[in-house]
Amino acid sequence: MTMTLTIKATLAAIAVTAASFGFTSDASAITEITLKDGTVLKGDIVREGDQFVILLDSTGIQKFVMRRDISTLVRDAEDTPVAADNANATDTGPVTQRGKKEDVQIPAGATRIAFVSLHESVGSYFNTDALERSVDLLKALPEEERPEVLVLEIDSGGGALIEQHKIIAYIRDHVEPEFRTVAWIESAISAAAMTAWVVDEVYMMRKAPIGGCTGYYMTQSGAVAMEGAELEEELVWMERVSTWGKKEPLVMRAMQIYSTLSADINPDGSVTWYPNDQGEYMISPENEVLTLNAHEAKKFGIAQGIADTKDQLAQALGCVEWVEVGQDADEMMVEFRANVKEAELEMSTLFREMNIALQAMMGTPEVRNKKRHFGTAKNKYQQIQVWAKRKAPSLMTYGQFNQNFFDVYDERFEQWAEQLAGL
Amino acid sequence: MLKRLMQVSPLVAMIAIGCTWVPSPVVSQAVAASEGDEESMESIDELVLSSGTVVRGKIIEETETEIVFELRMPGFPPIERRYRKAEVAKITRDVDRVERADIVHDPVKADKGKDKDNDNPFVNNDDPDAAQIYRIRLSGRFGYNVTHTPVQELIDDINRVFDDAKESNVEGGPATVVDDEVRDKHIVLLEIDCTPGGGFDGLWNSIEFINLFEQEIHDRGRRVVMLVNQAVDGSAFLPWISKEIYFLEGGIMGISSDLHLFDIGDPMVNEKQISLRLGHAQGYAILGGYVEQGPAIIKAMARSTYWLSVLWTGATPRVSLREPTSADLAAGWELLSDDGLDENDDDMQQGVRNPNDQFVLRDDTAFRLKVSQGTVSNAEEILFLLGVHRNANYVEHEGNQIFADWNKALATFTEKAFPGSQRQRPGELWRDYGRIQVAGDFNDRRKARGRQLQILKQIRSITQRVAEAVDPDGGLINEIEFNIYVIQYQQRLDNENR
């Protein structure tokens, strides 16, 4: 049974908080943060919580800083430096995004569970950096509020294979040693399924699929499956991940490539797998790629159970009494995805407008107008850069507006500027 | 009363003996038993057809091969029908006496029956215990005529009409659910009668609002009964999320495209795409509780190369996706669909009577496969099966108006804002837009651009209203925005160069 959370909104704190900080910082209030290693960071605080501060520096890059790493924090030139460790006491109170102080009562004996959602495309929306920031928040919680169980709630159709490598390594090295980690699947396809594979404990929602992990890329003539050494590396990597996640490697292999797979369920409930059709149950025929439904995943031991709600999941995990903690960690993840989405839309619009200005620049014979259009285009381009850096750095790695895009356009704008200067 | 009990006692005995027989899965909307004098009542016979349909009326004639039957339905004149004996699974004569005997035998039922002033389910009555039926028919194409916006409005209307929300704290935190007290009596009867659209990938256009129904059923606890007339493509997946599915006579569920033909390039990538699609679709069958048979049925419906065979045994028939061997067939396995390859290709077989390359779930098979709980000849018959035929009201609602408004908005889009295609000319506003010439002096050009912008904004407004149906990927709105920006930009240049 879920324990009821008592959320005490401290009205006084809200009032002070609202007056002092609000949701976003005043643009004129430059904050200076000195880290314990001596590093000094300056910028606007765009968000802060009990355990963290996000600072936007003058280059437009967001810096995520844990309070525990801060030596002093000066909100503006007239502020007295505040020791970060006791910032909550001397500051105007911990500020969450909602501008309220949350006091979570955790009953003795209740298992503390945190849920962090990993949704949408692996890479730009579902990535190691974002997960790391969320996990850091959880790690920084006081011992009595720190989750014992971290549930990674996965709903994704896949994405970048390269990000999958990073996030798997991060989960294995930095998440699983700290928390009992559970993958809770709403949908895990391709790179998302591979990510879930490293987690020992997998639970499925009833409608969840897991699988379809064939690596491929699109060309003008259609989809091309990964092959050769690249494929071999991926197969070997996932064999290793299967071992880490205590899963049968043949199952992942059948999800990646054509690979006949059948199984027997032994009297003791264990499963014997066959890389052929020898088993009683045909899991994946010769010329198919495997995706398991929830029922199959449980039946053949890939998932430990099926749960549609948090409460059902907690019961399945053996947590008779449990309490949800660390909601900030998921709120940050949700906000991160919203930022990426907003940035994607804005950047697409700006790109379109930039191209119109460039077309106009090329189409007009008058130098004065050419320069004017160039100015408009450059302005739009710079706005794209700001959006990418400020709101969605992940798009610079995985999206259309990646580093290569900026490299190409940096060069082009330089050339256009030179040509216009010569007219 | 004594006389009455004495008369019915043999019938009560019949019921007891008949306990091993599966209760009627389907009841034709026959004569509702009234509490009148049974002496004056004509006896009612019942036929259980092998399709699962149960019809009631009067056996007029019975031969070795045929039954001539007078089918009776309230409000309609009797209809004479002929049934081949081969299609009749069970005959029960004077079944209505059996029912009345059952009521008399059960004091609770008997008392309830006596208290009722109105047994007719089609007339509203004031009985607070009456089941409330919110009946709505989804028609047209999923993803076009049925989309997220009208479905959300429909669900809001259902909750407004029933007004049965209760705060609950049972499942992992506070939630709004349907009050347990009325859950069984507040029934949404959702008839699905949709046209094909999008093949299997109609699923993607439908996921968002299927999820809305899913939340209503599984999170909120709403009782939704699905009635399948034609559930094809996107609409083929919706019924599965409910544990209560019925088919209309002749009803079908299927996919109009063949996933086997899915092709975006590399065959292995195609298989990945097919596999993940099937994985998603099977999830709905599992969600509705059709764990044993649902996933295989969905696979066979979606891809012609899957075999589907069934062994009619036990509570739930066993289904298999592999080709049945001679031994299987000898053991009673029945082939429902083959792999459609080579000599099994229906197209290669002259005069094939029952095409079976790609499985189509029909009313009779759906019932036998325990997907459908029964086949009915009209929606009203379901009330019998739901056990509410003696006391139910259809509630008044806005559901039909919601879809009428949506379809009107679609028609407006087609008439005015459709951008045109090879087969269909552009809408009126696009034609007007195309006629505008930006020429002449500065003022002429400014006016012309002003008119262009006005039209584009009208087009945008009409399109946005139904964008999820007509422009799901946002390409059209994007193009309109682009045009607006270009015109504004040109005007700015004109201003500067003036």
Side-chain angles (χ1 to χ4, degrees):
Chain A
M1 178 60 66
T2 313
M3 303 307 299
T4 306
L5 302 185
T6 308
I7 310 293
K8 291 179 185 169
T10 310
L11 294 176
I14 293 173
V16 175
T17 298
S20 304
F21 308 117
F23 273 64
T24 55
S25 61
D26 182 344
S28 63
I30 299 299
T31 299
E32 184 176 297
I33 293 175
T34 306
L35 302 181
K36 287 176 179 169
D37 67 3
T39 307
V40 178
L41 304 171
K42 287 183 182 175
D44 296 342
I45 291 179
V46 292
R47 193 184 164 196
E48 60 186 317
D50 291 8
Q51 313 297 333
F52 68 96
V53 172
I54 299 176
L55 199 72
L56 182 68
D57 73 14
S58 58
T59 66
I61 292 176
Q62 287 187 6
K63 298 267 168 64
F64 178 83
V65 185
M66 298 301 298
R67 282 193 189 274
R68 65 180 176 206
D69 297 329
I70 298 174
S71 172
T72 59
L73 183 153
V74 183
R75 292 198 181 269
D76 60 41
E78 292 172 8
D79 259 3
T80 305
V82 174
D85 283 347
N86 62 356
N88 291 352
T90 56
D91 213 336
T92 48
V95 183
T96 68
Q97 192 186 12
R98 292 191 181 82
K100 69 180 181 187
K101 180 174 180 172
E102 293 183 349
D103 178 8
V104 179
Q105 288 188 345
I106 300 173
T111 306
R112 298 182 299 275
I113 305 179
F115 295 83
V116 170
S117 55
L118 295 170
H119 290 182
E120 303 191 48
S121 174
V122 176
S124 43
Y125 288 85
F126 170 152
N127 63 42
T128 314
D129 289 345
L131 178 60
E132 191 174 350
R133 285 202 297 272
S134 288
V135 169
D136 280 350
L137 279 183
L138 299 174
K139 286 180 179 174
L141 286 169
E143 190 59 34
E144 66 277 10
E145 290 177 26
R146 221 166 158 251
E148 298 154 273
V149 180
L150 171 56
V151 176
L152 300 175
E153 190 247 305
I154 296 174
D155 181 10
S156 165
L161 273 179
I162 191 167
E163 180 58 44
Q164 165 259 122
H165 283 244
K166 284 165 62 182
I167 201 164
I168 284 174
Y170 176 74
I171 291 170
R172 173 179 153 75
D173 296 339
H174 299 284
V175 179
E176 294 203 296
E178 297 282 335
F179 310 100
R180 177 182 172 189
T181 308
V182 174
W184 187 25
I185 312 296
E186 184 166 357
S187 173
I189 298 298
S190 201
M194 294 156 121
T195 303
W197 216 249
V198 74
V199 181
D200 290 1
E201 291 185 81
V202 175
Y203 286 81
M204 309 283 284
M205 294 189 189
R206 273 183 297 176
K207 66 175 185 181
I210 184 167
C213 301
T214 308
Y216 75 102
Y217 55 93
M218 291 301 293
T219 67
Q220 285 192 330
S221 54
V224 177
M226 183 188 272
E227 58 184 4
E230 205 181 15
L231 174 61
E232 280 308 311
E233 279 176 24
E234 203 54 45
L235 293 171
V236 169
W237 164 251
M238 286 314 296
E239 275 181 28
R240 196 183 309 162
V241 173
S242 298
T243 310
W244 293 339
K246 298 185 177 61
K247 293 177 186 63
E248 171 55 52
L250 288 173
V251 180
M252 176 46 72
R253 191 178 179 83
M255 291 175 170
Q256 292 177 279
I257 56 172
Y258 290 147
S259 177
T260 308
L261 182 68
S262 64
D264 287 336
I265 298 178
N266 304 315
D268 65 356
S270 63
V271 179
T272 302
W273 297 94
Y274 303 94
N276 49 45
D277 61 4
Q278 193 184 326
E280 180 187 354
Y281 300 97
M282 173 53 71
I283 307 298
S284 192
E286 186 182 0
N287 290 319
E288 292 186 16
V289 169
L290 178 62
T291 295
L292 294 170
N293 63 43
H295 177 62
E296 293 166 332
K298 180 172 183 294
K299 183 175 179 179
F300 296 104
I302 298 304
Q304 278 68 39
I306 294 176
D308 277 352
T309 65
K310 289 178 177 177
D311 206 41
Q312 286 171 5
L313 179 65
Q315 304 306 315
L317 292 171
C319 307
V320 179
E321 289 192 355
W322 67 282
V323 62
E324 185 173 349
V325 296
Q327 288 94 332
D328 261 3
D330 192 48
E331 281 176 17
M332 174 178 281
M333 194 63 93
V334 171
E335 186 181 325
F336 158 73
R337 289 194 297 267
N339 283 340
V340 175
K341 186 141 282 178
E342 184 187 5
E344 263 190 329
L345 287 171
E346 288 294 335
M347 289 158 77
S348 296
T349 303
L350 288 164
F351 183 61
R352 196 176 61 210
E353 293 173 354
M354 181 188 93
N355 277 324
I356 293 170
L358 288 173
Q359 282 172 24
M361 176 186 84
M362 289 162 190
T364 184
E366 289 184 45
V367 175
R368 188 172 66 102
N369 282 341
K370 273 187 185 293
K371 288 184 176 175
R372 191 178 297 142
H373 297 315
F374 175 76
T376 304
K378 185 82 185 284
N379 176 271
K380 302 288 180 190
Y381 177 61
Q382 285 168 337
Q383 287 185 60
I384 293 172
Q385 288 177 310
V386 170
W387 270 99
K389 284 180 181 170
R390 278 196 175 202
K391 287 271 191 173
S394 63
L395 290 176
M396 294 180 71
T397 309
Y398 295 108
Q400 173 197 353
F401 303 102
N402 53 28
Q403 194 54 53
N404 183 49
F405 167 88
F406 289 113
D407 289 345
V408 167
Y409 274 92
D410 279 348
E411 196 179 327
R412 284 185 188 172
F413 272 103
E414 266 181 40
Q415 288 171 356
W416 288 321
E418 280 174 20
Q419 287 168 10
L420 287 172
L423 292 175
Chain B
M1 180 59 81
L2 179 63
K3 181 184 170 194
R4 183 173 184 167
L5 285 172
M6 286 176 69
Q7 281 179 332
V8 300
S9 57
L11 297 168
V12 174
M14 272 178 62
I15 293 172
I17 293 163
C19 278
T20 52
W21 176 63
V22 181
S24 300
V26 183
V27 182
S28 167
Q29 183 168 326
V31 180
S34 71
E35 292 299 311
D37 179 5
E38 80 275 9
E39 298 287 356
S40 64
M41 285 184 64
E42 193 178 6
S43 66
I44 297 299
D45 305 325
E46 180 182 274
L47 305 182
V48 181
L49 308 182
S50 54
S51 66
T53 303
V54 178
V55 292
R56 285 182 175 183
K58 190 71 190 162
I59 295 173
I60 299 170
E61 188 185 342
E62 182 177 355
T63 69
E64 278 188 13
T65 57
E66 195 179 59
I67 293 171
V68 182
F69 196 75
E70 189 179 82
L71 184 65
R72 297 180 186 179
M73 300 165 69
F76 294 93
I79 304 165
E80 189 175 301
R81 281 196 182 175
R82 289 170 185 271
Y83 295 101
R84 285 181 294 112
K85 275 246 174 112
E87 62 178 314
V88 177
K90 184 177 172 66
I91 303 167
T92 307
R93 294 175 190 274
D94 206 4
V95 70
D96 199 53
R97 283 176 182 270
V98 175
E99 280 200 347
R100 281 181 285 128
D102 186 26
I103 291 168
V104 173
H105 189 64
D106 180 337
V108 177
K109 285 183 185 174
D111 285 348
K112 276 198 169 182
K114 282 177 187 170
D115 289 344
K116 279 182 299 187
D117 294 328
N118 185 354
D119 246 4
N120 188 336
F122 315 112
V123 177
N124 285 355
N125 65 55
D126 297 327
D127 186 345
D129 284 339
Q132 307 294 316
I133 313 291
Y134 187 117
R135 181 180 170 188
I136 182 78
R137 179 167 169 266
L138 302 182
S139 60
R141 183 155 51 91
F142 261 42
Y144 188 78
N145 305 94
V146 182
T147 63
H148 185 272
T149 297
V151 168
Q152 180 64 67
E153 289 173 11
L154 170 68
I155 287 173
D156 291 345
D157 191 55
I158 288 167
N159 288 310
R160 178 190 65 77
V161 167
F162 283 137
D163 190 22
D164 53 7
K166 191 186 77 172
E167 293 307 311
S168 162
N169 202 23
V170 178
E171 284 272 322
T176 304
V177 297
V178 174
D179 190 343
D180 292 340
E181 297 284 320
V182 295
R183 181 169 291 158
D184 282 346
K185 291 184 212 158
H186 287 185
I187 303 167
V188 177
L189 179 54
L190 196 65
E191 182 180 345
I192 299 163
D193 187 15
C194 292
T195 48
F200 185 94
D201 280 3
L203 171 65
W204 303 134
N205 299 333
S206 312
I207 271 185
E208 229 186 302
F209 61 88
I210 291 179
N211 287 348
L212 291 178
F213 282 117
E214 181 194 323
Q215 285 161 15
E216 187 66 13
I217 294 172
H218 295 281
D219 298 348
R220 201 177 175 97
R222 171 74 62 211
R223 186 176 182 190
V224 178
V225 175
M226 303 285 182
L227 177 58
V228 174
N229 188 10
Q230 181 164 287
V232 190
D233 297 343
S235 62
F237 304 103
L238 174 62
W240 294 93
I241 65 173
S242 170
K243 62 183 181 183
E244 294 181 273
I245 302 176
Y246 293 85
F247 272 60
L248 276 168
E249 280 179 359
I252 59 162
M253 181 191 287
I255 306 297
S256 69
S257 66
D258 184 354
L259 270 187
H260 187 60
L261 304 176
F262 184 94
D263 187 8
I264 58 166
D266 189 298
M268 196 157 69
V269 180
N270 293 338
E271 286 300 328
K272 167 202 173 104
Q273 295 294 332
I274 291 168
S275 148
L276 70 89
R277 280 165 170 72
L278 290 172
H280 275 287
Q282 291 173 69
Y284 291 119
I286 294 172
L287 195 60
Y290 307 93
V291 173
E292 299 301 331
Q293 75 281 45
I297 292 170
I298 283 179
K299 280 179 134 179
M301 282 199 314
R303 187 174 195 176
S304 62
T305 51
Y306 285 121
W307 294 83
L308 183 67
S309 51
V310 58
L311 183 64
W312 306 108
T313 179
T316 303
R318 284 177 61 195
V319 293
S320 168
L321 287 169
R322 64 178 170 78
E323 181 179 2
T325 62
S326 306
D328 290 334
L329 295 172
W333 283 85
E334 183 184 324
L335 181 66
L336 296 180
S337 69
D338 61 31
D339 64 357
L341 298 174
D342 304 325
E343 70 274 15
N344 295 327
D345 185 346
D346 293 338
D347 293 340
M348 303 299 285
Q349 298 173 32
Q350 293 295 320
V352 60
R353 280 191 171 183
N354 297 307
N356 68 347
D357 289 350
Q358 196 168 345
F359 184 61
V360 175
L361 189 58
R362 299 179 189 282
D363 53 352
D364 51 349
T365 320
F367 172 69
R368 296 184 74 200
L369 285 168
K370 299 280 196 280
V371 172
S372 163
Q373 297 193 14
T375 306
V376 293
S377 58
N378 60 53
E380 280 72 26
E381 289 180 9
I382 286 188
L383 303 185
F384 283 89
L385 301 176
L386 298 179
V388 299
H389 61 293
R390 293 177 188 279
N391 197 14
N393 291 326
Y394 284 126
V395 295
E396 288 183 6
H397 59 72
E398 300 293 322
N400 293 321
Q401 191 58 46
I402 288 166
F403 284 98
D405 289 346
W406 180 254
N407 285 323
K408 193 175 167 191
L410 286 170
T412 303
F413 169 80
T414 306
E415 183 192 333
K416 294 181 181 294
F418 181 69
S421 69
Q422 284 185 334
R423 279 188 281 178
Q424 192 176 340
R425 69 175 186 161
E428 184 185 315
L429 288 168
W430 280 114
R431 297 200 301 275
D432 289 349
Y433 178 78
R435 283 192 283 266
I436 298 172
Q437 297 289 323
V438 180
D441 63 17
F442 176 80
N443 277 334
D444 290 340
R445 295 196 299 273
R446 187 172 57 82
K447 276 183 192 165
R449 289 197 188 102
R451 177 74 186 128
Q452 281 183 323
L453 287 173
Q454 187 190 16
I455 290 178
L456 283 175
K457 286 174 183 173
Q458 270 182 281
I459 291 173
R460 182 175 64 187
S461 169
I462 292 168
T463 306
Q464 277 171 336
R465 168 81 175 86
V466 289
E468 66 205 54
V470 302
D471 186 32
D473 62 359
L476 179 55
I477 291 285
N478 221 357
E479 196 180 318
I480 295 167
E481 298 286 3
F482 178 82
N483 284 334
I484 288 173
Y485 184 82
V486 168
I487 293 166
Q488 287 171 336
Y489 195 79
Q490 286 168 339
Q491 186 57 44
R492 212 164 66 231
L493 295 181
D494 224 359
N495 291 342
E496 289 170 3
N497 292 326
R498 192 179 175 187

